[in-house]
Amino acid sequence: MILTACVLGAAVTTPSARAGLAEAQAAYNAGDFTVAFKELKPAADAGNAEAQALIAGMYAHGQGIPADLDEAARWYGLAADQGHLYATTMLGWFYMRGIGVEQDAVKGYRLLSRAAARGQPRAVEMKQAVAEKALAGLDDLVATEAQSQSIDRRAAYFRIGQSFALGHGVPRLPEVAAEAFHRAAKLGHRDSQYEYARRLDTGDGVQEDAEAAFTWFKKAGEQGHADALAMVGKAYLNGRGTAPNRGQAMVAITRARAAGSPIAKQILEDMSK
């Protein structure tokens, strides 16, 4: 990491802080972290986000100061509050892992997402790593859920899918939610068949595929899922994922409406206008 005086100086407001920037840059680049820390501290105290982020890193790695992860988290937090993307990324990772702060995976992932959305490359990598780890551990997570809740694997996949879809107690990971629903759908879980079909239909967490969506809507509809049956009718009506067929569309929509589907009700109301 090379300190850049012009960047550090951008938000510095006090003369004493400005005076130490050149010394901090030279000392850090020479590996004299004790001096670098001493010279950076006034800039950090004066509110310079870049200096705060660097101070945080020095606390995290014990550079020029005894390692203190609580202080590292605090300084990353101060810099993140000013929109510093690297600090936001590291603070997110700290929350994900419970480093220097109480673990909060949901908050951590939100911070990573905020930084990634603004192009911070490490945040993008970390987000991807979180999703990949969740996917790799999905079966183990489901086994634990099934055992703890005394439910079968299909229901456990569905519950886990809902959690990742909504961000309840875990980061909101659409791709993990879609895969959980997919695995339950393949085991014949009706509600998961519908949820997976919805995601295929809209491209939420999985590549959009209207034909596959129609297939899964149909499977759920055949098991009595009213909204799935309504979506089958809508697909026939619009020729989405299947050949258009108004007759079959009306049969499916009418059956769905009789079963209490609000989607079918809306379709029929729209058709009557």
Side-chain angles (χ1 to χ4, degrees), residues 4-16:
T4 305
C6 62
V7 174
L8 287 175
V12 176
T13 57
T14 66
S16 62

Side-chain angles (χ1 to χ4, degrees), residues 3-271:
L3 301 191
T4 305
C6 62
V7 174
L8 287 175
V12 176
T13 57
T14 66
S16 62
R18 285 194 298 270
L21 288 174
E23 290 81 353
Q25 180 184 18
Y28 192 98
N29 294 342
D32 191 345
F33 301 125
T34 300
V35 172
F37 183 90
K38 180 181 178 181
E39 299 298 342
L40 276 173
K41 190 65 161 49
D45 287 336
N48 182 281
E50 185 74 9
Q52 291 170 342
L54 289 163
I55 287 285
M58 295 178 82
Y59 269 116
H61 297 101
Q63 295 175 319
I65 195 77
D68 187 332
L69 294 176
D70 291 352
E71 275 296 284
R74 185 176 76 85
W75 282 104
Y76 276 137
L78 290 172
D81 286 345
Q82 297 191 68
H84 191 284
L85 296 184
Y86 181 78
T88 301
T89 299
M90 294 308 298
L91 184 64
W93 188 245
F94 274 30
Y95 272 107
M96 290 290 299
R97 301 296 298 273
I99 300 171
V101 292
E102 184 175 351
Q103 187 171 22
D104 186 337
V106 174
K107 182 175 183 178
Y109 192 77
R110 286 175 182 164
L111 288 164
L112 290 179
S113 297
R114 184 186 305 166
R118 294 180 60 189
Q120 214 292 325
R122 191 163 186 187
V124 173
E125 292 175 2
M126 287 182 177
K127 273 193 67 180
Q128 184 63 32
V130 170
E132 289 174 356
K133 185 175 181 179
L135 284 170
L138 186 57
D139 287 340
D140 290 340
L141 189 60
V142 164
T144 300
E145 181 75 5
Q147 183 175 14
S148 65
Q149 300 298 320
S150 299
I151 55 178
D152 64 25
R153 287 176 62 237
R154 301 186 311 165
Y157 273 120
F158 180 71
R159 284 170 60 94
I160 294 299
Q162 286 181 310
S163 294
F164 279 111
L166 300 172
H168 285 175
V170 294
R172 185 181 180 279
L173 297 172
E175 59 270 60
V176 180
E179 181 57 25
F181 290 136
H182 186 202
R183 294 184 190 184
K186 290 189 293 184
L187 294 173
H189 191 267
R190 185 193 71 172
D191 290 351
S192 292
Q193 290 173 341
Y194 175 69
E195 290 298 333
Y196 185 55
R198 286 203 310 122
R199 284 155 177 79
L200 286 166
D201 193 44
T202 60
D204 182 12
V206 67
Q207 185 173 348
E208 184 176 331
D209 187 334
E211 291 185 9
F214 176 77
T215 297
W216 285 108
F217 278 135
K218 196 171 183 181
K219 286 179 182 292
E222 288 169 352
Q223 293 199 70
H225 195 292
D227 282 341
L229 191 58
M231 292 303 292
V232 169
K234 185 177 181 180
Y236 275 127
L237 196 64
N238 298 327
R240 178 170 171 76
T242 188
N245 188 318
R246 188 175 179 84
Q248 292 203 56
M250 295 312 300
V251 169
I253 294 169
T254 301
R255 285 177 54 201
R257 178 68 184 93
S261 167
I263 294 176
K265 179 182 177 182
Q266 187 62 54
I267 292 171
L268 291 171
E269 289 177 355
D270 292 343
M271 291 177 69

